[in-house]
């Protein structure tokens, strides 16, 4: 007798449905018509089951601020300045309350793990980190939270930040962030990068860096990817560095871009496009043929780069949209990157599951015996329909326990007789 069996789950469009047995919070067996009964059973009846979705890059501390103060000009500079003003009034409790609303949405939408990037700087201090450390405990058993200490205001131009980052890691942040583009010149961008690599080595934590944000490649502060690859290799941190956005790749000429992608792949650096933000803040100076400014996903795949996508922001000055729903973001990425058909859409979906698991360094994850039973039962019957349908998340399981359930009834009514 096992704890739970999911019967007739569709995990492969080309094969018959299977049963998934769970014991002790872990998948123990997957196969057709498993004989072992479960204490509990869910009949999936051919519905799709996927591993829990992963937000590999989310600013929970700055979520849901758009009601308080929107970003009127819609630019990156506007978003940073509006948010810097709002941050002065943040308390641990106010951050926690907004973040909780997003976490609850995310769980209901099938998300099992979030890597969150709270700001750490002289304006907000450690309040974001403190709020998320509390939530990491509060949500244990429903959702796993990784915390990235993130210097949104820069390090060199915001004195005191490096000490706050160190303090964050001492208090339990899991990952060190960077925001190298938010420095005054290229020399300071390099110093920023050097300092975070030193600090990451001191605490032996992964790095997750906002290395650029531009829809062209003319500002050299946004072209630090090659330097980051060089430092990654020199310091032996291959496989433990992630770059978010990378919008400026889209503005490089193809030969230069190919060289950069080869460098990133060789250094084992992951890339996480954040299309909702990238599209909203990008192209603001264009008056015709407004550019998309999203990292070229198909080229990232072809280069063999570990790639995920994520929501980044929910309803704030950087992204005034969002429901913490990774299927919505996946469809948006597909639409904006010319990705279509079952093969492409399958790869896009995998960016929010197995790809994101690699990005955030999960050793045990997926649909196989030994992986945690973080599972989502969807209301559709083909994997290739998941992003197109954005189906109901009928059951969301964390370590084998149901943590959210959705039931929806739609009725089509006959016409009223004339
Ligand atoms: Zn971000």
């Amino acid at each position: 007798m096992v704890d739970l069996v999911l019967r007739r789950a569709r995990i492969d469009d080309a094969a018959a449905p299977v049963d998934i047995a769970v014991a002790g919070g872990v998948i123990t067996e997957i196969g057709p018509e498993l004989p072992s009964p479960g204490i509990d059973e869910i009949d999936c009846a051919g519905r799709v089951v996927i591993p829990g979705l992963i937000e590999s890059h989310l600013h929970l501390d700055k979520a849901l601020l758009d009601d308080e103060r929107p970003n009127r000009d819609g630019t990156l500079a506007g978003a940073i300045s509006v948010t810097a003003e709002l941050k002065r009034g943040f308390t641990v409790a106010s951050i926690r309350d907004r973040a909780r609303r997003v976490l609850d949405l995310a769980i209901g939408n099938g998300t099992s793990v979030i890597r969150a990037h709270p700001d750490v700087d002289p304006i907000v201090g450690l309040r974001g980190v403190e709020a998320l450390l509390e939530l990491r405990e509060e949500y244990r058993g429903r959702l796993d939270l990784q915390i990235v200490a993130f210097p949104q205001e820069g390090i060199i131009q915001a004195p005191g930040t490096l000490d706050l980052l160190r303090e964050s890691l001492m208090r339990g942040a899991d990952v060190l962030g960077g925001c190298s583009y938010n420095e005054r010149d290229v020399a300071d961008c390099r110093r920023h990068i050097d300092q975070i690599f030193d600090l990451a080595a001191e605490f032996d934590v992964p790095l997750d860096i906002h290395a650029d944000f531009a829809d062209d490649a003319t500002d050299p502060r946004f072209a630090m990817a090659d330097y980051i690859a060089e430092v990654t290799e020199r310091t032996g941190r291959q496989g433990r560095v992630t770059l978010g956005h990378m919008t400026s790749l889209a503005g490089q000429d193809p030969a230069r871009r190919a060289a950069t992608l080869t460098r990133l792949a060789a250094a084992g650096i992951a890339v996480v496009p954040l299309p909702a933000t990238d599209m909203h803040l990008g192209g603001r100076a264009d008056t015709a043929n407004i550019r998309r400014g999203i990292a070229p996903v198909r080229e990232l795949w072809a280069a063999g780069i570990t790639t995920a996508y994520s929501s980044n922001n929910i309803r704030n000055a950087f992204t005034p949209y969002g429901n913490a729903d990774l299927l919505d973001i996946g469809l948006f990425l597909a639409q904006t990157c010319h990705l279509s058909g079952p093969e492409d859409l399958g790869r896009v979906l995998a960016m929010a599951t197995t790809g994101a698991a690699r990005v955030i360094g999960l050793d045990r994850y997926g649909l196989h015996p030994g992986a945690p039973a973080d599972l989502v039962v969807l209301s559709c019957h083909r994997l290739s329909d998941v992003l197109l349908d954005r189906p109901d998340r009928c059951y969301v399981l964390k370590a084998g326990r149901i943590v959210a359930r959705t039931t929806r009834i739609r009725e089509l009514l006959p016409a009223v007789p004339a």
Side-chain angles (χ1 to χ4, degrees), residues 24 26 30 36 81 92 101 128 143 185 252 280 295 303 361 384 386 394 409:
V26 171
I30 297 180
S36 43
S81 93
V92 173
R101 286 160 57 199
L143 176 141
D185 55 37
Q252 286 178 350
H280 180 68
S384 56
V386 170
C394 304
I409 297 171

Side-chain angles (χ1 to χ4, degrees), residues 148-166:
V148 184
F150 171 52
Q152 169 79 79
E153 309 295 330
I155 293 175
I156 313 303
Q157 69 169 2
T161 300
L162 198 61
D163 289 340
L164 290 166
L165 293 172
R166 178 176 280 108

Side-chain angles (χ1 to χ4, degrees), residues 255-280:
R256 164 112 195 266
R257 181 164 68 233
T260 298
L261 296 183
T262 301
R263 252 351 276 262
L264 293 176
I269 294 176
V271 173
V272 179
L274 301 158
T277 307
D278 299 343
M279 279 285 284
H280 180 68

